Amino acid sequence: MSETKISIRNLYKIFGRNPASMVDRVRGGLSKPDLLDQHNHVLGLEDINLDIPASGVQVIMGLSGSGKSTLIRHINRLIEPTAGEIFIDGENVLAMKPEKLRDFRRFKASMVFQKFALLPHRTVIQNVLYGVQIQGVDEKQALDRAQRWLERVGLKGFELHYPAQLSGGMQQRVGLARALATDAEILLMDEAFSALDPLIRTDMQDVLLDLQDELHKTIVFITHDLDEALRIGENIAILRDGRMIQSGSGQDIILKPADAYVTDFIQDINRARVLQVGSVMDKDPSSATGPEIESTTAMEEALQVLAKSKAQSAIVVRRGKQVGSISLDQMIAAIARPKQGAAPEQRYR
Amino acid sequence: MIDWTKLTWTQPPVMARDDLRDLKKLIDGSFRDFSREYGEALENFFYPLLKFLAGLQQLLLATPWPLMLVLLGLFAWIGSRSWKMVAGTVACFLVIGWLDMWEDTMATLAIVSVATFLCIAIGIPVGIWMARSNRVQAAILPILDIMQTIPSFVYLIPVVMLLGIGKVPGLIAVMIYAIPPIVRLTNLGIRLVDEEVLEAADAFGASRRERLWGVQIPLALPNIFAGVNQTIMMSLSMVVVASMIGVPGLGVPVLRAVTNQYLALGLMNGLAIVAIAIIFDRVSQSFGKRLQKHREGGHGV
């Protein structure tokens, strides 16, 4: 694991008339519904702890109302926490004076929004320019930079259009270019692709993954869509009712769901496509026979390899070294759907 | 305090006649004292304004009429970019001149443009101030309500008591009536700016000033412009009332027509006011529409 870029410690957010006075009650075990009933305060986030590695993609996932958008807005302090700490590169964001915070937002973290939030009165190129202009970069250099990013997201030729003249997918490309043009190390994406059609969404995911291969930014990506989370995220944190109920790699979450809620969540995932051989194998290659399969291969491909070579098992390799073995039975067991987690009356909002 | 002898089922409790008279006297007396004390100072304060207004009126009258027509045509062109508008404007003013209303029209143009300019200069900052603070809004809204609903004759009384009869009190009366829409619509326009766009500006580290000038005001412009348009219309509609306290212009002959039952005189001058109003309205509206070029296009915002 690389070094930690963003570190969130014991973060609480309570909405209401006097949130600070409620923190201790919540720490003492008062639940979200009780807090609302007895004190008329809403518990937004409860004791969030999360370390986000540099140059990685951290997905924060949850259904609506789970607090994920609230959480991401704490990272650049669009929302002030009720209690807790946030460190970025070891510096406490919450201690920043307004001036410092502005510089932090200008140079260090940029954001992409669910509903694009483009400036409707500015042309496409002026929108991309927005963050760069605020940084105070001189006009010509800024224009060069904006032009480069606009081309990078595939919108060359649309410079002088207004956002309202573009489709949703194209508007979000502008949003992405605007965020990238500031050269910030941290990219905050708040359900950035949720408002797009499925095909365009996949398209945008590809654009993002391509860019990330090259840029190695620290990306915090919010989504309510598990397929998207698994596709994009190296790490996934799952929020429910303001609590973080599981955090780990996509493979971890599918193979070891923390509770019934997560189990339910992963019900409809195409496990054969998502699960990798390396996450299911025996870590003892000594007795292995059969064809060699790379450990990051998805189950559906590995199964085809086995079928083709009529083998019952395979040797798993990682960077040319044998690291384990896997049998056909193991693979089939792994891609079977887990039993449904929660009782029907506990289903979620 | 109450004259019980008068109380019946059709007469609610009423103040004793003497008390009521004393109350009115008290108010009148103290305001008279106030105006004796400060009237001159106020007049001196407004003297530059009077100079400016009179100067502008003289300038408009001294301008050769062909040049004036060119300027008016140019104004119509800049606002509307339509040759029809330009031709209509020039034709209207030619007819006005032909019917011998040129001088009064210039006087009206002078007071309306000064009133509009001052309303914009005061109204937009006040509107911005209101938009930035709910408390300021709560304090100013009732004042605007009063300004818009109190009959204009009622506030003419103290204005005339303070400043006498003339152009400046007329201008103040016009402004009291015409300033509320621009204040309201500036406030409303800024408050209606999309929260998400503002959040984006914050997220990119915009300062309060960058947010105001780069996002809020440009996006509020259509509303602000509707306010400017309303302000022009309302100050035009005040010219007759203003003429009662000595403001020269098209209102004077209208007033004369009303008191003497001169139908033709009233009609001509009244229609001249309407013509100017229509020209100003169309020109400023199409200018406002051009500010919203970005709203065109297939996809809704």
Short mmCIF file of all heavy atoms in Angstrom, two decimals, chain B residues 162-185:
data_model
loop_
_atom_site.label_atom_id
_atom_site.label_comp_id
_atom_site.label_asym_id
_atom_site.label_seq_id
_atom_site.Cartn_x
_atom_site.Cartn_y
_atom_site.Cartn_z
N LEU B 162 -40.78 69.62 2.70
CA LEU B 162 -39.33 69.70 2.94
C LEU B 162 -38.62 70.49 1.86
O LEU B 162 -37.79 71.34 2.14
CB LEU B 162 -38.74 68.29 2.99
CG LEU B 162 -38.67 67.62 4.35
CD1 LEU B 162 -38.10 66.22 4.19
CD2 LEU B 162 -37.82 68.44 5.30
N LEU B 163 -38.94 70.20 0.61
CA LEU B 163 -38.10 70.71 -0.48
C LEU B 163 -38.84 71.71 -1.37
O LEU B 163 -38.28 72.19 -2.34
CB LEU B 163 -37.61 69.54 -1.34
CG LEU B 163 -36.69 68.56 -0.60
CD1 LEU B 163 -36.52 67.28 -1.39
CD2 LEU B 163 -35.34 69.20 -0.33
N GLY B 164 -40.10 71.96 -1.04
CA GLY B 164 -40.84 72.89 -1.88
C GLY B 164 -41.26 72.24 -3.17
O GLY B 164 -41.24 71.02 -3.31
N ILE B 165 -41.63 73.09 -4.13
CA ILE B 165 -42.09 72.58 -5.41
C ILE B 165 -40.94 72.67 -6.41
O ILE B 165 -40.16 73.61 -6.36
CB ILE B 165 -43.32 73.41 -5.87
CG1 ILE B 165 -44.54 72.87 -5.11
CG2 ILE B 165 -43.52 73.33 -7.37
CD1 ILE B 165 -45.82 73.50 -5.52
N GLY B 166 -40.80 71.66 -7.26
CA GLY B 166 -39.72 71.76 -8.24
C GLY B 166 -39.29 70.40 -8.74
O GLY B 166 -39.95 69.39 -8.53
N LYS B 167 -38.15 70.41 -9.41
CA LYS B 167 -37.69 69.19 -10.08
C LYS B 167 -37.22 68.14 -9.09
O LYS B 167 -37.51 66.95 -9.23
CB LYS B 167 -36.54 69.53 -11.02
CG LYS B 167 -36.98 70.34 -12.22
CD LYS B 167 -35.87 70.38 -13.25
CE LYS B 167 -36.32 71.14 -14.47
NZ LYS B 167 -35.63 72.44 -14.60
N VAL B 168 -36.46 68.57 -8.07
CA VAL B 168 -35.90 67.58 -7.16
C VAL B 168 -36.96 66.82 -6.37
O VAL B 168 -36.96 65.59 -6.34
CB VAL B 168 -34.85 68.22 -6.23
CG1 VAL B 168 -34.46 67.26 -5.12
CG2 VAL B 168 -33.62 68.60 -7.03
N PRO B 169 -37.91 67.53 -5.74
CA PRO B 169 -38.97 66.75 -5.07
C PRO B 169 -39.70 65.84 -6.05
O PRO B 169 -40.08 64.72 -5.69
CB PRO B 169 -39.90 67.83 -4.51
CG PRO B 169 -39.43 69.12 -5.06
CD PRO B 169 -38.02 68.96 -5.49
N GLY B 170 -39.88 66.31 -7.29
CA GLY B 170 -40.53 65.47 -8.29
C GLY B 170 -39.71 64.21 -8.55
O GLY B 170 -40.23 63.09 -8.59
N LEU B 171 -38.41 64.42 -8.67
CA LEU B 171 -37.53 63.28 -8.92
C LEU B 171 -37.59 62.28 -7.77
O LEU B 171 -37.67 61.07 -7.98
CB LEU B 171 -36.10 63.79 -9.10
CG LEU B 171 -35.06 62.75 -9.47
CD1 LEU B 171 -35.31 62.27 -10.88
CD2 LEU B 171 -33.66 63.32 -9.35
N ILE B 172 -37.60 62.82 -6.54
CA ILE B 172 -37.66 61.93 -5.38
C ILE B 172 -38.98 61.15 -5.38
O ILE B 172 -39.00 59.94 -5.14
CB ILE B 172 -37.49 62.74 -4.08
CG1 ILE B 172 -36.05 63.25 -4.02
CG2 ILE B 172 -37.81 61.89 -2.86
CD1 ILE B 172 -35.79 64.20 -2.89
N ALA B 173 -40.06 61.85 -5.70
CA ALA B 173 -41.35 61.17 -5.75
C ALA B 173 -41.34 60.05 -6.80
O ALA B 173 -41.82 58.95 -6.56
CB ALA B 173 -42.45 62.17 -6.05
N VAL B 174 -40.76 60.37 -7.96
CA VAL B 174 -40.69 59.34 -9.01
C VAL B 174 -39.87 58.15 -8.53
O VAL B 174 -40.24 56.99 -8.71
CB VAL B 174 -40.08 59.93 -10.30
CG1 VAL B 174 -39.79 58.83 -11.31
CG2 VAL B 174 -41.02 60.96 -10.91
N MET B 175 -38.76 58.46 -7.86
CA MET B 175 -37.89 57.36 -7.44
C MET B 175 -38.51 56.49 -6.36
O MET B 175 -38.34 55.27 -6.36
CB MET B 175 -36.55 57.92 -6.94
CG MET B 175 -35.64 58.31 -8.10
SD MET B 175 -34.10 59.00 -7.51
CE MET B 175 -33.43 57.60 -6.63
N ILE B 176 -39.23 57.11 -5.44
CA ILE B 176 -39.89 56.30 -4.40
C ILE B 176 -40.81 55.28 -5.06
O ILE B 176 -40.92 54.13 -4.65
CB ILE B 176 -40.69 57.20 -3.44
CG1 ILE B 176 -39.74 58.03 -2.59
CG2 ILE B 176 -41.61 56.37 -2.55
CD1 ILE B 176 -40.42 59.01 -1.67
N TYR B 177 -41.44 55.72 -6.13
CA TYR B 177 -42.40 54.84 -6.80
C TYR B 177 -41.70 53.81 -7.68
O TYR B 177 -42.14 52.68 -7.83
CB TYR B 177 -43.33 55.70 -7.65
CG TYR B 177 -44.49 54.95 -8.26
CD1 TYR B 177 -45.48 54.40 -7.46
CD2 TYR B 177 -44.58 54.81 -9.64
CE1 TYR B 177 -46.54 53.73 -8.02
CE2 TYR B 177 -45.64 54.12 -10.21
CZ TYR B 177 -46.62 53.59 -9.40
OH TYR B 177 -47.66 52.92 -9.95
N ALA B 178 -40.56 54.20 -8.28
CA ALA B 178 -39.97 53.37 -9.33
C ALA B 178 -38.85 52.45 -8.83
O ALA B 178 -38.47 51.52 -9.53
CB ALA B 178 -39.44 54.26 -10.45
N ILE B 179 -38.33 52.68 -7.64
CA ILE B 179 -37.17 51.89 -7.23
C ILE B 179 -37.50 50.47 -6.72
O ILE B 179 -36.69 49.56 -6.90
CB ILE B 179 -36.31 52.68 -6.20
CG1 ILE B 179 -34.85 52.23 -6.34
CG2 ILE B 179 -36.81 52.50 -4.78
CD1 ILE B 179 -33.89 53.07 -5.53
N PRO B 180 -38.68 50.24 -6.13
CA PRO B 180 -38.91 48.89 -5.59
C PRO B 180 -38.71 47.73 -6.58
O PRO B 180 -38.09 46.74 -6.21
CB PRO B 180 -40.34 48.95 -5.06
CG PRO B 180 -40.53 50.36 -4.70
CD PRO B 180 -39.78 51.14 -5.74
N PRO B 181 -39.18 47.82 -7.84
CA PRO B 181 -39.01 46.63 -8.69
C PRO B 181 -37.55 46.26 -8.91
O PRO B 181 -37.23 45.06 -8.91
CB PRO B 181 -39.68 47.02 -10.01
CG PRO B 181 -40.02 48.44 -9.91
CD PRO B 181 -40.02 48.82 -8.49
N ILE B 182 -36.68 47.23 -9.09
CA ILE B 182 -35.29 46.85 -9.35
C ILE B 182 -34.65 46.23 -8.11
O ILE B 182 -33.91 45.26 -8.20
CB ILE B 182 -34.47 48.04 -9.90
CG1 ILE B 182 -33.03 47.61 -10.16
CG2 ILE B 182 -34.41 49.21 -8.96
CD1 ILE B 182 -32.69 47.56 -11.57
N VAL B 183 -35.02 46.75 -6.94
CA VAL B 183 -34.48 46.16 -5.71
C VAL B 183 -34.99 44.73 -5.56
O VAL B 183 -34.23 43.78 -5.33
CB VAL B 183 -34.88 47.00 -4.48
CG1 VAL B 183 -34.38 46.35 -3.21
CG2 VAL B 183 -34.34 48.41 -4.60
N ARG B 184 -36.28 44.58 -5.70
CA ARG B 184 -36.89 43.25 -5.54
C ARG B 184 -36.32 42.24 -6.53
O ARG B 184 -35.98 41.11 -6.16
CB ARG B 184 -38.40 43.33 -5.79
CG ARG B 184 -39.20 43.76 -4.62
CD ARG B 184 -40.67 43.70 -5.01
NE ARG B 184 -41.49 44.55 -4.18
CZ ARG B 184 -41.96 44.19 -2.99
NH1 ARG B 184 -41.68 43.00 -2.51
NH2 ARG B 184 -42.70 45.02 -2.29
N LEU B 185 -36.24 42.65 -7.79
CA LEU B 185 -35.84 41.68 -8.80
C LEU B 185 -34.34 41.37 -8.74
O LEU B 185 -33.93 40.27 -9.08
CB LEU B 185 -36.25 42.15 -10.19
CG LEU B 185 -37.75 41.93 -10.43
CD1 LEU B 185 -38.27 42.79 -11.55
CD2 LEU B 185 -38.04 40.47 -10.73
#
